Amino acid sequence: MKKDCVGTTICQERKKDPIEMFHSGHLVKVCAPMVRYSKLAFRTLVRKYNCDLCYTPMIVAADFVRSVKARDSEFTTNQGDCPLIVQFAANDARLLSDAARIVCPYANGIDINCGCPQRWAMAEGYGACLINKPELVQDMVKQVRNQVENPRFSVSIKIRIHDDLTRTVDLCRKAEATGVSWVAVHGRTAEERHQPVHYEAIKIIKENMSIPVIANGDIRNLKEAQNVCHITGTDGVMVARGLLANPAMFAGYEETPLKCIWDWVDIALELGTPYMCFHQHLMYMMEKITSRQEKRVFNALSSTSAVLDYLTDHYGI
């Protein structure tokens, strides 16, 4: 955890309590955890455009606890980065609770990744394999609840669904009984990638829960977000790729406005975002507003100064 950013971030009160947001009656708009992408600079950008709640990228709890270097590289925040959920990959209750205690002063809660379908994560006992280990999930939730003294500190899980939905409902009920604050549901199985999202499954899960449920999967604009909320009855929507392509989507923009691109440049430069990340985000944002030839030129740029010159020449930014 970088002290220059984190040192001033122990908020006396984290003003926007996510639990209260979910009970406000308004659709809660959430930036999903995205490896390499949902870092401080991008979270700062989407918050300017009506994103209510942000997750960090997935952090391996064991590395985070054991290595100062991992903490410094994986977790950076600041005073305005709120409300914030830190997502951990974990398969050990003690290590997860230790990680939760470390981030507790700097975040509103932690999330246990029970949805990542990548082979390396599954092989390590992280991610989507945890949906088949409800007792381990319960144990991790209990340990965090016992170790973190702040009663407002949330503990959530992000899951995928089973082919047999009764198993998913059972998992969620057990998690709820153990004290989980809310559940985010990606409406695909661990084996599915680009198949249609099973929104009906998310609806069934919501109908069987009394805690908030967030719908996740293939939401690309605000109208779709509102429609998914209507179909599923969920309390919030979580977006990943849709926000990468258009960080202003929650503010109702159909494509990335030039002001948003300008804001990204300002934020990224101010926070010292590495060039590859800075450039990659712009490539996503400009996908729909550039021609094939323009993409070839822009994607081949290799320095911040070249990007700034390009944006100035083409868009007056």
Side-chain angles (χ1 to χ4, degrees):
M1 299 184 298
K2 295 189 179 172
K3 292 185 173 68
D4 56 335
C5 290
V6 173
T8 60
T9 312
I10 304 179
C11 300
Q12 295 305 310
E13 62 168 327
R14 286 243 156 204
K15 295 179 182 176
K16 299 175 184 174
D17 186 337
I19 301 294
E20 292 177 6
M21 290 166 57
F22 284 118
H23 291 100
S24 68
H26 300 292
L27 174 66
V28 179
K29 300 178 286 296
V30 184
C31 174
M34 291 177 276
V35 174
R36 295 187 303 277
Y37 294 123
S38 61
K39 295 194 172 186
L40 175 60
F42 188 69
R43 299 194 300 266
T44 303
L45 178 66
V46 295
R47 290 186 196 280
K48 289 175 69 75
Y49 291 91
N50 294 2
C51 184
D52 299 311
L53 178 64
C54 291
Y55 282 53
T56 68
M58 180 183 73
I59 300 169
V60 176
D63 296 341
F64 190 80
V65 169
R66 293 168 180 156
S67 166
V68 173
K69 183 177 180 182
R71 293 198 286 277
D72 284 346
S73 65
E74 295 296 326
F75 181 58
T76 306
T77 187
N78 62 21
Q79 197 79 32
D81 190 25
C82 177
L84 177 66
I85 304 301
V86 181
Q87 189 188 67
F88 285 111
N91 58 15
D92 181 284
R94 184 184 60 80
L95 284 172
L96 178 65
S97 62
D98 288 346
R101 282 194 297 127
I102 292 170
V103 300
C104 179
Y106 314 110
N108 294 82
I110 63 117
D111 182 82
I112 306 170
N113 186 319
C114 304
C116 179
Q118 293 184 35
R119 287 180 185 173
W120 75 266
M122 304 269 280
E124 293 288 337
Y126 305 140
C129 71
L130 290 175
I131 65 174
N132 298 316
K133 301 177 181 179
E135 289 76 19
L136 175 55
V137 173
Q138 285 183 293
D139 188 34
M140 290 194 286
V141 174
K142 284 179 187 173
Q143 285 272 21
V144 175
R145 285 281 179 230
N146 290 336
Q147 292 296 319
V148 176
E149 295 179 358
N150 181 359
R152 295 174 63 192
F153 192 76
S154 66
V155 183
S156 57
I157 59 174
K158 183 174 186 292
I159 67 170
R160 285 192 172 226
I161 61 173
H162 299 84
D163 287 317
D164 177 2
L165 198 59
T166 59
R167 296 180 64 197
T168 316
V169 170
D170 179 65
L171 166 71
C172 292
R173 282 176 168 168
K174 286 178 176 175
E176 178 177 4
T178 314
V180 154
S181 307
W182 67 80
V183 178
V185 184
H186 184 108
R188 292 187 176 98
T189 67
E191 292 75 31
E192 292 176 321
R193 293 297 182 270
H194 303 292
Q195 291 88 339
V197 177
H198 304 287
Y199 294 120
E200 187 64 29
I202 301 176
K203 178 184 179 185
I204 291 170
I205 293 166
K206 172 59 184 171
E207 289 171 347
N208 281 274
M209 308 291 289
S210 57
I211 56 173
V213 175
I214 303 172
N216 174 227
D218 283 4
I219 299 169
R220 297 183 183 87
N221 55 56
L222 183 59
K223 187 174 181 180
E224 286 185 6
Q226 293 165 337
N227 188 45
V228 166
C229 180
H230 177 73
I231 292 169
T232 60
T234 49
D235 307 276
V237 292
M238 176 182 281
V239 179
R241 286 176 294 184
L243 276 175
L244 283 179
N246 179 9
M249 65 163 277
F250 283 145
Y253 292 92
E254 290 295 318
E255 58 186 31
T256 310
L258 290 179
K259 184 181 185 305
C260 182
I261 294 173
W262 183 22
D263 286 338
W264 170 246
V265 170
D266 287 345
I267 291 166
L269 295 183
E270 181 182 348
L271 293 176
T273 302
Y275 174 74
M276 283 188 66
C277 180
F278 168 66
H279 187 214
Q280 187 73 53
H281 273 293
L282 286 170
M283 288 163 61
Y284 279 119
M285 289 181 211
M286 296 169 64
E287 174 72 23
K288 290 184 180 179
I289 62 174
T290 50
S291 67
R292 185 176 299 178
Q293 175 59 28
E294 288 170 332
K295 285 183 183 67
R296 276 200 293 266
V297 174
F298 183 80
N299 294 357
L301 298 177
S302 58
S303 70
T304 300
S305 58
V307 167
L308 296 178
D309 287 344
Y310 180 95
L311 294 176
T312 301
D313 292 344
H314 288 75
Y315 302 107
I317 294 178

